[in-house]
Amino acid sequence: MSTDTAAGIPARSATPETPWLTRLDAWWRAANYLSVGQIYLLDNPLLREPLLPEHVKPRLLGHWGTVPGMTLIYAHLNRVIVERDLSALYIAGPGHGAAGLNSAAWLEGTYSELYPHISRDVDGMRGLFRQFSFPGGVPSHASAHLPGSIHEGGELGYSLAHATGAALDNPDLLVACVVGDGEAETGPLAASWHAPAFLDPVHDGAVLPVLHLNGYKIANPTVLSRLDHADLGALLSGHGWRPIVVSGSDPMEVHEAYAAALDDCLDQVQQIQQDAREGGHRGRVRWPMIVLRTPKGWTGPSTVDGHEVEGNWRSHQVPLTAVRENQEHLARLEEWMHSYRPQELFTATGAPAPLIDTLHPTGDSRMSANPHAHGATQHALRLPDVGDHAVTITKPGGERGEATRVLGRYLRDAVVLNAEQRNLLLFSPDEHASNRLDAVFEVTDRRWGLSIEDGDDHLAPDGRVLEVLSEHLCEGWLEGYLLTGRHGMLSSYEAFAHVIDSMVAQHAKWLHTAADIPWRRPVPSLNILLSSHVWRQDHNGASHQDPGFVDHVLNKRPEVARVYLPPDANTLLAVADHCLRSRGLVNVIVSGKQPALQYLDIDEAVAHCEQGLGVWSWASTDLDGDTDVVLACAGDVPTQETLATVEVLLGLVPDLRIRVVNVVDLARLAPAELHPHGITDKAYEEIFTGTAPVIFAYHGYPWLIHRLTYRRPGHDRMHVHGFHENGTTTTPFDMCVLNEIDRYTLALAALERVPRVAGRIGHLRQHLQDKHTAHHNHIRRTGEDLPEIRDWTWTR
């Protein structure tokens, strides 16, 4: 066993064994015993009778290898919470070690308070064991069912980002984050070590990473565990951490060393925060952390069937795999569980024995009951009146504006309104100004804890905008911030939102599960603004052209997923205001940043967004008769091309009866039984008519609209035009032409489906094809769109 530090940081001397340490070891043994029981047992929870095959689960699921380290870390945190009166969260990166966290919550009493049928007695212990990784029970990872958890851990890599987000604007909170050494190999976690560059010791809480090096993943050694000690120290120190190393395999020696290291870390945290809060010391801060080296599967079977297990990859999941069929394995399991001496740990009724029953905090101080973890510490968000930021509309489609620039002024005022309670942050991967949201820099700065040089733009230690060139970090920080009750928005280039596909999917699953847990309060929604979108990435080319993130989100549970495509600035204001006020959702907003036509005044915009979709009568010509064709649109560029199509059509067939439908909320297209925002078939037919062909110009991939409407009456009349992966560096209008959502293609698609013009279709087709030819020749000669395209406005 050794206790030392990297980068020359002295460790506090280990203390001699004391009664509290003996009790702490007993608590740790109890948590490990309960964890093994969850993985293996259906019955006989206290081994009051010889263990039989029928006492064992038929399917053995769970991850034992990481549990002993996680429970040791938990036990020692409980000690310092009591001694120092701390508020602490526990983030478990190795999420499949949830058996250990279930055990901790049961020992603290929180589990039984929230789930009375899992009582603190023999029957409750049996229930705790039986439900784990069992049909109708709870999963093996730290899902929303787990008291005190805000981090699922089913997908690895996000623990330290979540921990950092939870610490932001939580000055009195300690966020302990266990980082598994397998998890540490992921890209998101590797970037997450940058946290010291963004944590503000004045206004933020502290993040205490514990890098748990047990040496192995599921079948291989881990990279960090095999690094030279000095190299690992240099890696962590270079990111701004002061690592203290604790290593060993003798439990009592490790307890002593870990207790000293933890006290050392917390003394350093206290000094850092005191210096910053009293003396104004900022600049680069080196935060303490612990590197814990203990054997994988510690205290479990040392060998099984002649193979090394403890300290080896074979202990990653279930060390004894054939307990029901193999008498030797059954005997080894019984011996293993008895090695924890359960008779010392639990009373005759099965409750925790007095030796350990008080070795944890009480009430909300318990990590499993911390209000920050359950959405119980929220402050209401104050938002400006959208009317104060609205674009004045004198005539639909007659003026241009930059939608996201208008939103930036709204967010600027929101930052001011919430400055005192510090519960609103904005996140972006170096794109806040690029996406025209830079008005916020009139009242705040970009968060930056490193050196600031002449020429740097709006950097400060306490800025309300967090920018780092990692979508993973921005998303993870925002999720941690939201899950602890605060509010925020992430803005990103549309194509690169795919970087966080799986993160958003995991968060959506968490929200869906949490909604059914009564003791979890709904947390503020995850709001993602996608700008610099596919139709105005003509300058960057194909690499920046992908509108598929909305498809990914709408594949998630309908109770959670929302997608909005506001066509102009005032509808963007209405949508953003709605999303920021919402709870428990994933809201995706797609809005361009380039100058574009504006259509609705603020009252019309709010009403249109509340309805989600509707007929634009001011752009339609079927007010007093049957409809020849419906022109539908969703998205700002498709809306412009649809309105231009109206003028093209009326120039060719002046008496054509056209209905224009604009869709803001995509889920409105789905049947009501499939999505809570869906409308009835009757309402759908009133909008889209029961007979007319529908030419739908859509922002993204066409098949999403078909999927949403395939059950609707008259789906065979739905003809969707959208992005077809025909992207390149070209002009804005040529992007539309390449993907067949331009006004001339849409006009031809409409005319082909109006029977009364069939006799003229050849002439009409030629006219429209000639328009394409003129466009093609002009852009290749001049490099820009035709003036009649570039300068087009709605003139009807």
Side-chain angles (χ1 to χ4, degrees):
M1 189 281 302
S2 68
T3 305
D4 56 86
T5 65
I9 308 301
R12 178 170 294 190
S13 300
T15 57
E17 180 178 331
T18 57
W20 68 261
L21 199 57
T22 301
R23 294 176 60 211
L24 188 148
D25 179 69
W27 192 98
W28 179 57
R29 286 187 283 120
N32 290 339
Y33 177 89
L34 294 171
S35 301
V36 178
Q38 289 175 72
I39 294 172
Y40 282 98
L41 297 188
L42 279 175
D43 207 349
N44 194 13
L46 281 172
L47 303 182
R48 298 281 171 77
E49 57 182 286
L51 192 62
L52 301 174
E54 54 265 32
H55 296 152
V56 178
K57 294 178 179 179
R59 298 173 68 236
L60 301 179
L61 304 171
H63 288 60
W64 164 251
T66 188
V67 164
M70 291 174 64
T71 52
L72 179 133
I73 294 164
Y74 202 106
H76 283 267
L77 283 167
N78 275 346
R79 174 185 68 84
V80 296
I81 290 170
V82 172
E83 290 181 359
R84 297 171 182 252
D85 191 25
L86 299 176
S87 174
L89 289 182
Y90 187 104
I91 306 292
H96 277 286
L101 303 181
N102 293 337
S103 300
W106 188 85
L107 288 170
E108 290 181 332
T110 313
Y111 211 104
S112 299
E113 292 168 12
L114 300 176
Y115 303 104
H117 64 289
I118 307 295
S119 48
R120 297 175 88 217
D121 53 26
V122 173
D123 287 340
M125 190 184 297
R126 183 183 295 108
L128 181 73
F129 290 1
R130 186 181 185 91
Q131 70 173 4
F132 182 77
S133 288
F134 204 76
V138 300
S140 66
H141 47 89
S143 67
H145 83 278
L146 178 65
S149 177
I150 65 166
H151 175 76
E152 180 111 4
E155 182 181 11
L156 299 178
Y158 311 132
S159 60
L160 190 50
H162 283 164
T164 304
L168 297 172
D169 291 327
N170 258 331
D172 300 320
L173 186 67
L174 172 71
V175 189
C177 179
V178 184
V179 178
D181 48 356
E183 177 186 26
E185 296 177 1
T186 66
L189 200 289
S192 294
W193 294 119
H194 289 307
F198 297 91
L199 286 168
D200 175 15
V202 174
H203 298 108
D204 297 337
V207 176
L208 178 63
V210 181
L211 176 59
H212 186 206
L213 298 179
N214 60 31
Y216 292 91
K217 306 185 288 289
I218 193 169
N220 288 286
T222 56
V223 173
L224 294 191
S225 71
R226 298 290 175 92
L227 285 185
D228 177 85
H229 174 74
D231 287 345
L232 177 61
L235 172 69
L236 298 171
S237 178
H239 281 294
W241 302 99
R242 304 181 74 169
I244 299 175
V245 181
V246 177
S247 64
S249 58
D250 179 272
M252 296 309 296
E253 290 182 356
V254 173
H255 281 315
E256 292 176 1
Y258 192 87
L262 183 56
D263 282 332
D264 193 349
C265 286
L266 295 180
D267 287 345
Q268 291 184 48
V269 166
Q270 183 180 15
Q271 191 64 53
I272 289 168
Q273 293 179 335
Q274 181 177 327
D275 289 347
R277 295 171 187 181
E278 296 179 3
H281 172 70
R282 279 176 166 146
R284 189 169 192 189
V285 174
R286 291 192 177 276
W287 293 92
M289 65 169 290
I290 295 174
V291 177
L292 175 63
R293 293 182 182 267
T294 57
K296 195 172 188 72
W298 194 19
T299 72
S302 58
T303 61
V304 176
D305 298 333
H307 297 292
E308 183 182 2
V309 174
E310 185 184 27
N312 186 270
W313 57 266
R314 292 184 180 88
S315 65
H316 183 83
Q317 292 176 293
V318 180
L320 298 162
T321 58
V323 180
R324 276 195 164 195
E325 303 81 15
N326 186 314
Q327 280 296 320
E328 182 181 349
H329 282 207
L330 182 67
R332 292 292 303 281
L333 174 61
E334 189 169 22
E335 177 188 8
W336 175 16
M337 297 190 71
H338 275 300
S339 73
Y340 296 116
R341 306 193 296 280
Q343 68 278 5
E344 299 175 5
L345 308 175
F346 305 100
T347 67
T349 65
L355 177 71
I356 61 173
D357 191 32
T358 58
L359 201 70
H360 54 74
T362 59
D364 289 349
S365 294
R366 295 170 293 179
M367 288 187 286
S368 57
N370 193 305
H372 291 282
H374 301 157
T377 57
Q378 300 180 35
H379 297 284
L381 185 66
R382 300 177 63 194
L383 293 174
D385 189 328
V386 293
D388 293 340
H389 297 277
V391 174
T392 300
I393 303 296
T394 58
K395 178 181 179 299
E399 294 131 342
R400 298 184 187 276
E402 296 167 284
T404 54
R405 193 175 298 281
V406 173
L407 177 63
R409 294 192 285 268
Y410 168 90
L411 293 174
R412 173 199 63 200
D413 288 3
V415 168
V416 172
L417 288 172
N418 295 279
E420 184 176 350
Q421 57 190 23
R422 302 183 67 87
N423 69 331
L424 174 65
L425 286 176
L426 305 174
F427 301 82
S428 182
D430 196 33
E431 293 156 3
H432 210 74
S434 174
N435 282 329
R436 310 289 198 267
L437 301 173
D438 47 320
V440 297
F441 296 128
E442 298 170 15
V443 297
T444 189
D445 299 293
R446 297 176 175 91
R447 178 72 65 89
W448 190 251
L450 302 179
S451 62
I452 299 176
E453 301 178 358
D454 291 343
D456 287 338
D457 184 44
H458 286 98
L459 300 182
D462 60 348
R464 307 305 294 163
V465 177
L466 282 89
E467 287 193 330
V468 60
L469 198 51
S470 167
E471 287 84 358
H472 283 126
L473 283 192
C474 291
E475 174 69 17
W477 290 346
L478 175 56
E479 288 179 2
Y481 198 67
L482 299 173
L483 288 164
T484 47
R486 283 76 59 73
H487 307 259
M489 176 179 286
L490 165 63
S491 63
S492 174
Y493 279 25
E494 180 183 47
F496 304 135
H498 282 297
V499 173
I500 54 172
D501 273 1
S502 58
M503 292 188 76
V504 173
Q506 294 292 325
H507 189 74
K509 292 173 188 293
W510 175 281
L511 292 176
H512 178 247
T513 302
D516 292 330
I517 299 175
W519 45 266
R520 285 194 179 273
R521 285 187 58 192
V523 296
S525 296
L526 172 62
N527 301 307
I528 301 175
L529 172 66
L530 304 182
S531 194
S532 297
H533 62 53
V534 58
W535 300 110
R536 293 309 308 269
Q537 282 296 329
D538 41 271
H539 56 298
N540 280 319
S543 64
H544 287 53
Q545 296 162 354
D546 188 333
F549 186 75
V550 297
D551 301 59
H552 172 68
V553 170
L554 282 181
N555 280 330
K556 303 305 122 189
R557 291 293 310 182
E559 297 89 343
V560 172
R562 306 286 184 269
V563 170
Y564 301 98
L565 291 99
D568 66 0
N570 286 339
T571 50
L572 175 59
L573 284 175
V575 165
D577 185 79
H578 166 78
C579 292
L580 285 167
R581 296 178 190 276
S582 67
R583 294 273 195 291
L585 302 173
V586 174
N587 296 312
V588 177
I589 308 168
V590 184
S591 177
K593 66 183 183 182
Q594 302 293 352
L597 296 177
Q598 305 297 303
Y599 310 109
L600 305 181
D601 67 30
I602 191 61
D603 292 334
E604 293 169 333
V606 169
H608 182 52
C609 292
E610 287 178 352
Q611 186 175 347
L613 81 172
V615 176
W616 279 4
S617 297
W618 55 267
S620 303
T621 62
D622 67 336
L623 275 66
D624 59 352
D626 294 336
T627 305
D628 289 315
V629 65
V630 175
L631 299 182
C633 48
D636 47 13
V637 169
T639 296
Q640 176 174 296
E641 288 306 301
T642 295
L643 293 173
T645 300
V646 173
E647 290 202 350
V648 171
L649 286 172
L650 295 179
L652 298 173
V653 185
D655 63 344
L656 198 65
R657 296 182 178 277
I658 305 166
R659 176 173 298 188
V660 175
V661 174
N662 182 263
V663 180
V664 176
D665 180 352
L666 279 187
R668 288 293 202 197
L669 297 173
E673 64 270 20
L674 296 183
H675 197 287
H677 279 203
I679 60 176
T680 65
D681 281 350
K682 182 177 183 295
Y684 180 88
E685 285 196 286
E686 288 177 352
I687 293 170
F688 289 97
T689 81
T691 58
V694 179
I695 310 301
F696 200 125
Y698 171 54
H699 174 86
Y701 294 110
W703 42 87
L704 177 60
I705 302 301
H706 284 297
R707 181 168 69 83
L708 291 170
T709 61
Y710 83 98
R711 290 192 182 183
R712 291 299 195 181
H715 176 252
D716 58 326
R717 294 182 284 105
M718 178 71 70
H719 308 280
V720 186
H721 294 244
F723 187 64
H724 287 284
E725 288 293 336
N726 293 322
T728 186
T729 300
T730 187
T731 68
F733 184 68
D734 197 47
M735 275 295 297
C736 297
V737 174
L738 290 172
N739 291 278
E740 301 181 337
I741 72 156
D742 66 281
R743 60 198 69 181
Y744 304 126
T745 300
L746 297 177
L748 181 58
L751 293 169
E752 288 175 334
R753 291 167 177 85
V754 177
R756 65 187 179 90
V757 301
R760 302 168 51 197
I761 194 64
H763 297 289
L764 299 173
R765 186 190 308 277
Q766 187 62 55
H767 172 80
L768 296 170
Q769 288 176 345
D770 290 345
K771 290 289 188 180
H772 277 154
T773 300
H775 154 74
H776 178 87
N777 294 337
H778 182 82
I779 65 170
R780 278 155 180 78
R781 184 175 66 255
T782 68
E784 61 181 355
D785 287 323
L786 285 157
E788 64 192 72
I789 301 294
R790 186 185 63 237
D791 302 329
W792 180 85
T793 59
W794 177 256
T795 57
R796 292 189 68 255

